[in-house]
Structures are given as structure tokens and as C-alpha cells.
Amino acid sequence: MKAVRELFIRSKPFIAVIFLQFGLAGMDILTKMALNEGMSNYVFVVYRHAVATLAIAPFAMILDKKIRPKMTLSIFTKLVLLSILEPVIDQNLYSIGLKYTTATFAAAMCNILPAITFIMAWIFRLERVKLTSIRSQAKIIGTIATVAGAMIMTLVRGPVIELFWTKGNSSHESQSGGLNLSHAIKGSLLITIGCFSWAAFMILQAITLRTYPAELSLTAWICLLGTAEGAIVAMVMERGKAAVWAIKWDTKFLAAVYSGIFCSGLAYYIQGVIMKDRGPVFVTAFNPLSMVIVAILSSFILREQMNLGRVLGAVVIVLGLYIVLWGKSKDQKSPSTDEQAIPTQETTHENKIDKENLSQTIIHISPSRGTTVTKDERI
């Protein structure tokens, strides 16, 4: 039982990020369906974070009551910046990019996120890089491969790969993978800029957790501020279009509720907890799993067709990312070795002091008997 418990404890970060990727994959499918039905991406972002706030805030108020630090101007400034980077900039750009592309393509393009996060973490010294180290070389090579794979997916098309459940589908979004080159470039640029914003969000979240280590409260603040800021953006971009705010019990409503609970509320919280121990690069390294899930589901639900360029690019991205993950796993092992070495040195130092103290004995002459006795007086 002890071995099973230890195995579960070690595997918890992996289980959590895999669960997170399944949630994000479902969001891609539902969001694409809602956007296809005419939902405004600006309004979608507002409803998504309103739902997330309602879902997370009660838990944050109760569970974080004892550990929530005092709010300061510095912390609040970081919260405002966090809510702008991901809920407003990234999600709006991602949604617009999703309109130009397909769910599978958008999920695949997001695989450049770990590479961008790695570079930013390196710049802000959250990631250790030593050019002569094999693990650091692996992370750099994997980063380059990830970017190359994203470029292949964007620029290379190739023949359509026919699957028996997508044959005969003649819709605009399905033919030739649902994309023309112009839309692919526009969509990929928007998604790439969004990924830069998302990576900056991850780095800033890791930094903020050092001074505000209450993950649920941090999530609630991000969602609340994201709702307010997103509403301002939506009112500006959709001014004079009151109808876009209407929502019914349909796919649009389901997409907002699902994305709010799983992909904003739970996602921000889970990645915050994991980042405390493993860092932001580890959290983002599992993004390829979401791409695989989306590709499978969208081929069934949305009848999206695959082309050879997309498959080749995806393979290169996955290989590159898991080379990065291999380097991260080596980083995870090295600190433990260092930690083991420190107590050993301390123990040696203490033993040396004990030996010196034991040798510092004062010899006293007893005047009555003329014998010598020792008294142990340690300094």
C-alpha cells in the first residue's frame, strides 16, 4: 500500500495536466460549434469568465480564508495584468483565429506555447539553462523543432487524408482540411500572438504565486477582473449590436458554461498548483495531447478532414515537445541529488565540531589525593 501511495503522489502532477488537456480539447470543439452558429467571440469570453467567477469565488472565500494574504497595490496590479493577458487578449485572439481555421488546426498551433513559455522562463530565470548540459541542449532542440512543426502545419498542405467517416463531406470547412492559405496564415498569426500572451500569463502567474500563494483566490480574481475587462472590450467591439448578448439553452450556452468551469476556473487553479512544484514549462509541455484529442473528436463531430502537411507538422511538434519534456524530467531529478548532498556536508561539519568539543577537556589536579580527573567542558 505504501508503494502504491507513493506512486500516486508522484503521478499526481501528470494526472492533473492530462485531465486539463482533456478539458481544453472539449473546449476547442464546443467553442468552434458556438462560433459557427454566429456567437460573438467577445461576448463568449465575457460569459465564460462570468461563469468561472460564479463557480470558483464561493470556494475561494471559504477555503482560502486562512491562507489568503493581504491585498497590496503590487499584487492587485499583477492581477489586473493577468486578467488582461489571458482572459482578454489570448482568448479573443484565439477565438478569432479559430474562426479562420479549424478546431484541429487551432489546437495544433497552440503547441508552440511550451516553446514560447520555455524562452520566457529562461529570460526571467524561472528555467535553468546550461549550454554544455545535455538536458539543456534537449530543451533548446525541442523548442526549435516545435516552431518548425508549427510552420509546417501552417504552410504545407499536401493531399487530403480520407477517413471513412469524413468521406463525401463537401462543406467549406472540411475540404482540404477546411482552410485556404490566406485564412491559415491569418489564423496562425492571431493564434501565435495569443500564445505569446498566454505564455506571459503563465510566467506572471508563477511569479505572482510567490507573494500570493492562494490559488483559488488568485483564480477568482483573474476571472472576475477578466469578466469586467472583457465586457468593456465587447461593448466597444459590438456596439449597437444588442442581439449578440442574447443566449439560449443551446450550444452557445453549453460552450460558455463548459469553458468557464473547466477551462478558466479549474484550469487556472490546476496549473497554479502544479507550477509551484514543477514550473510553467512542465504545465505547457502536455499541449500535444490536446491536439490529438481534438483531431480525433473533430473528425467525428465536425467532420474535419486531415491533410498530410498537418499530420507531418503535428508529428514534428510532438517529437520536439517531448524532447523538451525529457530535458525537464532530468532537471527534476538533479535538485534531489543536490539536496541529498547538503545534509551530508552538514553532518560532516557537525561531526567535526563534536570531535573538537570532545577533545577540549580541562585537566584538574585534586589537591587532596594528587590524582588527576577530567571535566568535560564543551565550548
Side-chain angles (χ1 to χ4, degrees):
M1 287 296 295
K2 185 178 180 181
V4 175
R5 193 182 307 112
E6 290 177 355
L7 177 63
F8 175 72
I9 292 173
R10 286 197 303 268
S11 61
K12 278 199 297 186
F14 296 91
I15 296 172
V17 291
I18 290 172
F19 170 78
L20 184 61
Q21 293 307 316
F22 270 92
L24 293 175
M27 179 202 71
D28 286 328
I29 300 296
L30 287 173
T31 301
K32 181 63 177 176
M33 293 173 67
L35 294 174
N36 286 348
E37 292 182 7
M39 187 173 192
S40 167
N41 59 279
Y42 302 106
V43 174
F44 173 75
V45 168
V46 176
Y47 285 154
R48 168 177 170 171
H49 289 94
V51 171
T53 303
L54 293 174
I56 295 295
F59 294 98
M61 288 188 290
I62 297 172
L63 300 178
D64 281 354
K65 186 176 181 180
K66 295 182 179 180
I67 65 172
R68 185 168 47 245
K70 183 179 179 181
M71 182 62 68
T72 64
L73 179 61
S74 174
I75 293 174
F76 186 75
T77 302
K78 291 176 183 176
L79 292 173
V80 172
L81 186 55
L82 282 168
S83 61
I84 292 173
L85 285 171
E86 215 285 320
V88 178
I89 298 176
D90 170 51
Q91 290 185 20
N92 276 303
L93 291 179
Y94 181 81
S95 298
I96 298 171
L98 193 59
K99 286 183 178 179
Y100 280 112
T101 60
T102 64
T104 305
F105 185 90
M109 279 300 303
C110 283
N111 286 324
I112 64 173
L113 174 66
I116 300 171
T117 306
F118 168 67
I119 294 171
M120 286 189 176
W122 184 6
I123 293 172
F124 287 95
R125 297 185 178 182
L126 297 176
E127 190 71 23
R128 296 175 302 167
V129 176
K130 187 177 179 182
L131 296 179
T132 57
S133 169
I134 294 177
R135 59 176 178 265
S136 293
Q137 292 170 0
K139 290 186 287 187
I140 294 171
I141 292 171
T143 300
I144 295 172
T146 300
V147 176
M151 292 178 66
I152 292 172
M153 289 197 68
T154 305
L155 302 175
V156 179
R157 295 177 65 180
V160 172
I161 299 175
E162 290 283 358
L163 302 172
F164 70 88
W165 56 85
T166 60
K167 285 184 179 180
N169 187 17
S170 58
S171 66
H172 172 70
E173 285 202 352
S174 296
Q175 291 296 329
S176 300
L179 296 172
N180 59 51
L181 185 59
S182 175
H183 283 180
I185 293 175
K186 288 179 182 177
S188 62
L189 284 175
L190 290 169
I191 293 170
T192 300
I193 296 171
C195 284
F196 271 96
S197 181
W198 191 357
F201 169 84
M202 300 285 284
I203 298 299
L204 184 57
Q205 185 181 14
I207 295 172
T208 305
L209 284 169
R210 295 174 177 176
T211 54
Y212 197 83
E215 294 90 350
L216 281 170
S217 296
L218 181 66
T219 300
W221 272 112
I222 293 171
C223 294
L224 177 62
L225 293 171
T227 303
E229 294 159 359
I232 295 172
V233 173
M235 285 187 289
V236 172
M237 300 302 295
E238 302 289 358
R239 57 186 179 277
K241 301 177 183 177
V244 299
W245 294 92
I247 192 167
K248 301 177 182 179
W249 295 91
D250 54 10
T251 305
K252 299 177 185 178
F253 178 81
L254 177 61
V257 172
Y258 177 89
S259 298
I261 294 175
F262 287 96
C263 304
S264 288
L266 285 178
Y268 297 161
Y269 170 70
I270 291 173
Q271 69 190 28
V273 172
I274 300 172
M275 274 194 290
K276 275 188 173 182
D277 181 45
R278 298 298 182 100
V281 175
F282 178 87
V283 176
T284 57
F286 285 79
N287 267 40
L289 180 60
S290 176
M291 176 198 66
V292 174
I293 299 168
V294 170
I296 295 172
L297 293 179
S298 61
S299 67
F300 283 101
I301 299 173
L302 303 177
R303 299 185 68 190
E304 291 182 1
Q305 293 179 322
M306 302 289 290
N307 58 54
L308 185 59
R310 188 183 299 178
V311 173
L312 290 176
V315 170
V316 174
I317 288 172
V318 171
L319 290 176
L321 285 173
Y322 283 98
I323 292 173
V324 173
L325 189 60
W326 179 85
K328 283 295 297 176
S329 68
K330 296 300 180 182
D331 278 346
Q332 192 67 23
K333 292 178 182 178
S334 60
S336 61
T337 306
D338 297 338
E339 288 170 2
Q340 291 174 359
I342 293 171
T344 305
Q345 293 173 0
E346 291 177 352
T347 305
T348 304
H349 181 64
E350 290 174 358
N351 291 340
K352 184 178 179 181
I353 293 174
D354 289 340
K355 288 180 181 178
E356 290 176 355
N357 290 337
L358 286 171
S359 64
Q360 291 176 358
T361 58
I362 301 175
I363 301 176
H364 293 270
I365 306 296
S366 175
S368 60
R369 302 197 180 191
T371 58
T372 61
V373 296
T374 60
K375 181 180 179 183
D376 188 6
E377 295 181 356
R378 300 182 183 180
I379 300 174

